[in-house]
Amino acid sequence: MGRPVALVLLFCLSLLNLCSELPLNGSRPAFVTTLGEMVRDSFGAPRQLLFDQYQRRFPRIPTAQPVTIVEIDDKTLAGIGQWPWPRNRLASLIDAIAAQKPVAIGLDIYMPEPDQTSPDKVADNLPPAAASLAANLRRLPSHEAILARSLRATPSILGAAAFDHSAFATSTDMRSAPIHLHGPDPLNKVQRFNYVLASLPELQAAAHGQAMLNVALEGGTVRRIPLIMALGDKLVPSLPIEMLRVATGSSALDVYTNRLGVQAVGVADVLVPTQPDGDLWLHFASIRSTLNRYVSASDILQGKVDADRIHNKLVLVGLTGSGLTDMRTTVLGELVPGIEIQAQVIETIFEGHFLRRPAWLKSAECAFIMAFGLLIIWYFPRTDSRLARFIRAVPKSSAILGLSLNLLTLYSCLLIFKYFGFLVDAASIFIILSAVMGCFFSTALLVNETRPSLGAAHAQVGEDDRDRASKPPG
């Protein structure tokens, strides 16, 4: 009975494992969708936990620091004023950063509504008796105009947030750089949104780029970040890749696709491999190793920061003050500001240290599981094999053998991660092959347990026969 059960388990579990990693978007047969949703947690959760452990065992060690984060922190808020600031004050910060000649300034901030402290807005709220004052205020430039002038004079990029539903101040489009497509259209493969919360059109027109700030959350943890997304029927970039476009002076981004989806995103001479949905697996560095990239905005405004911290750097401006920032959990178990994740993406691209899980790797895993599983089904039940004799002779040998094989698989996958950056799914290999081996190990244990009982029964029968033979006839 071991072989038929093992064969059924091998094929069924392999199919469920395959379905668990298929993307939710895109067209798929109905039964595949149903199976994928049923087992996504069964195989997906162990897989993600394993990939997290890879990174915790071997976190990325930064070798360069191309990014400086100018943080609007508690110190800045205490000295300059609460958030949101008037737009002219934000313009002063951008001007102070631009004076040190960075290669790009990315704002992890979006401004979809007019500044109510702008002179024209203040004039609108004055009583009729202050008509002369109101007229003078309206002659002054608006705060949006001041900020737009600063954005236009610097290599600036504005952030935006994509939504799949309409909300207050959302729109259906934003200005973005051209994207040159090399291959089939990936609109049905990438994350697709219908609405965006972006800055005012006046500010968008002044900035040198616009980009999405969205990250991919899985169970509350950030593991991947989309480099390319869809807004309606248009492809739009994420903040890290758009900052590189502006920094290199490129007029457009390149997206390389095939029938499976997005393969890579390119800018200038940089090519970043992605998952078919346009996501980048992010190899995290510990926040402890990146704290020196942070500079307080108040120190920038007061001229207390060395020019080396800004000059020729990619500068990110964002909120880290208490209650203002969106904190995110990384695979290292650390709670970091959202802007830190954007910085780590840029840093990873500069280092060229990418984590990869290409489509062929899943196929290779399935082939390995099927080949090794069929080898187990063919070899383990052979009673004349050395393995069978070993299992019968050595107590608990089946458990020792299973544990050794799985530890060897896990160690091999760890080495592949460390030296090549491939995310090999040792968790699914362990689950499926352990189930197949269990069909035969349990049978072997039952045989070992029943043999002494059978021997005792035979001995008892022999003893009864001798007793009857020794008695004189009746």
Side-chain angles (χ1 to χ4, degrees):
M1 289 297 291
R3 274 184 173 145
V5 173
L7 275 170
V8 171
L9 274 177
L10 176 63
F11 282 98
C12 289
L13 291 178
S14 296
L15 177 61
L16 295 179
N17 175 42
L18 183 63
C19 293
S20 72
E21 206 165 358
L22 290 175
L24 289 174
N25 52 348
S27 58
R28 299 188 297 170
F31 82 94
V32 173
T33 301
T34 303
L35 286 175
E37 291 173 351
M38 286 172 55
V39 299
R40 188 164 295 275
D41 289 338
S42 302
F43 285 97
R47 181 188 303 123
Q48 297 293 10
L49 289 175
L50 176 71
F51 292 168
D52 292 354
Q53 290 304 315
Y54 287 169
Q55 295 209 46
R56 293 186 183 193
R57 181 67 182 85
F58 299 111
R60 183 174 58 84
I61 307 298
T63 58
Q65 190 175 312
V67 181
T68 294
I69 294 177
V70 175
E71 55 175 340
I72 300 173
D73 55 358
D74 289 331
K75 172 184 173 182
T76 302
L77 297 175
I80 296 177
Q82 66 183 18
W83 188 265
W85 286 349
R87 303 276 160 77
N88 61 333
R89 189 173 298 166
L90 182 59
S92 299
L93 176 60
I94 293 173
D95 292 341
I97 296 170
Q100 305 302 326
K101 305 298 182 186
V103 293
I105 303 175
L107 275 69
D108 190 6
I109 300 166
Y110 34 87
M111 296 162 279
E113 300 175 5
D115 184 351
Q116 296 302 315
T117 66
S118 193
D120 56 330
K121 298 297 181 182
V122 173
D124 292 340
N125 290 321
L126 291 177
S132 175
L133 176 59
N136 289 332
L137 286 172
R138 289 192 178 95
R139 293 190 188 99
L140 297 175
S142 69
H143 289 174
E144 277 77 28
I146 295 172
L147 178 56
R149 186 167 57 244
S150 297
L151 294 173
R152 192 174 292 109
T154 61
S156 57
I157 303 95
L158 290 175
F163 289 85
D164 54 9
H165 60 273
S166 177
F168 181 72
T170 57
S171 59
T172 57
D173 196 12
M174 71 174 190
R175 292 170 59 95
S176 61
I179 291 179
H180 295 159
L181 198 58
H182 305 269
D185 194 329
L187 277 177
N188 292 328
K189 305 293 184 181
V190 301
Q191 294 186 56
R192 194 169 184 174
F193 302 92
N194 293 319
Y195 301 94
V196 62
L197 189 63
S199 295
L200 294 168
E202 180 181 1
L203 301 178
Q204 290 189 47
H208 291 245
Q210 270 76 224
M212 296 296 193
L213 299 170
N214 297 59
V215 299
L217 283 175
E218 297 169 294
T221 300
V222 178
R223 297 180 175 91
R224 306 193 297 182
I225 186 168
L227 291 187
I228 242 26
M229 288 167 276
L231 180 59
D233 293 328
K234 181 175 74 173
L235 293 176
V236 292
S238 68
L239 182 61
I241 202 73
E242 179 69 354
M243 286 189 68
L244 292 178
R245 184 193 68 80
V246 172
T248 57
S250 302
S251 60
L253 295 169
D254 295 292
V255 174
Y256 299 87
T257 66
N258 61 16
R259 62 179 183 82
L260 298 176
V262 181
Q263 297 301 298
V265 177
V267 55
D269 59 349
V270 177
L271 195 64
V272 184
T274 68
Q275 295 302 112
D277 59 0
D279 284 4
L280 171 71
W281 282 97
L282 188 53
H283 193 179
F284 280 93
S286 173
I287 186 68
R288 293 186 296 274
S289 66
T290 65
L291 287 176
N292 59 346
R293 71 159 113 250
Y294 286 82
V295 174
S296 175
S298 65
D299 291 340
I300 293 283
L301 289 168
Q302 295 171 24
K304 296 180 179 179
V305 177
D306 292 339
D308 294 347
R309 303 292 301 274
I310 305 295
H311 184 65
N312 282 339
K313 298 279 190 179
L314 292 117
V315 176
L316 286 166
V317 180
L319 302 164
T320 63
S322 301
L324 295 179
T325 184
D326 57 333
M327 302 297 290
R328 304 291 189 180
T329 302
T330 72
V331 298
L332 303 182
E334 298 176 333
L335 197 63
V336 304
I339 198 168
E340 170 67 19
I341 294 172
Q342 308 290 342
Q344 293 220 20
V345 175
I346 298 173
E347 201 170 66
T348 297
I349 294 174
F350 259 77
E351 295 175 356
H353 193 112
F354 305 115
L355 297 185
R356 290 173 288 175
R357 184 158 175 76
W360 64 260
L361 182 57
K362 185 66 179 179
S363 301
E365 291 168 1
C366 291
F368 174 80
I369 290 171
M370 291 301 298
F372 203 90
L374 291 173
L375 177 64
I376 292 171
I377 292 170
W378 171 74
Y379 186 73
F380 272 32
R382 295 179 58 187
T383 56
D384 59 337
S385 67
R386 293 181 179 178
L387 180 62
R389 291 195 294 270
F390 173 75
I391 291 174
R392 288 195 298 267
V394 179
K396 299 182 179 179
S397 57
S398 58
I400 295 172
L401 181 62
L403 182 62
S404 300
L405 289 175
N406 284 309
L407 285 176
L408 178 62
T409 301
L410 178 60
Y411 185 69
S412 301
C413 294
L414 268 173
L415 292 179
I416 292 172
F417 173 85
K418 179 180 180 181
Y419 293 107
F420 302 102
F422 286 112
L423 294 163
V424 184
D425 183 11
S428 296
I429 296 173
F430 168 81
I431 292 170
I432 297 173
L433 294 184
S434 294
V436 173
M437 286 189 289
C439 294
F440 301 111
F441 288 158
S442 58
T443 303
L445 289 172
L446 287 173
V447 169
N448 283 336
E449 289 175 358
T450 55
R451 274 185 177 159
S453 300
L454 290 173
H458 286 307
Q460 184 62 44
V461 170
E463 185 177 342
D464 292 343
D465 290 341
R466 286 193 298 273
D467 288 344
R468 285 195 295 270
S470 63
K471 289 182 181 178

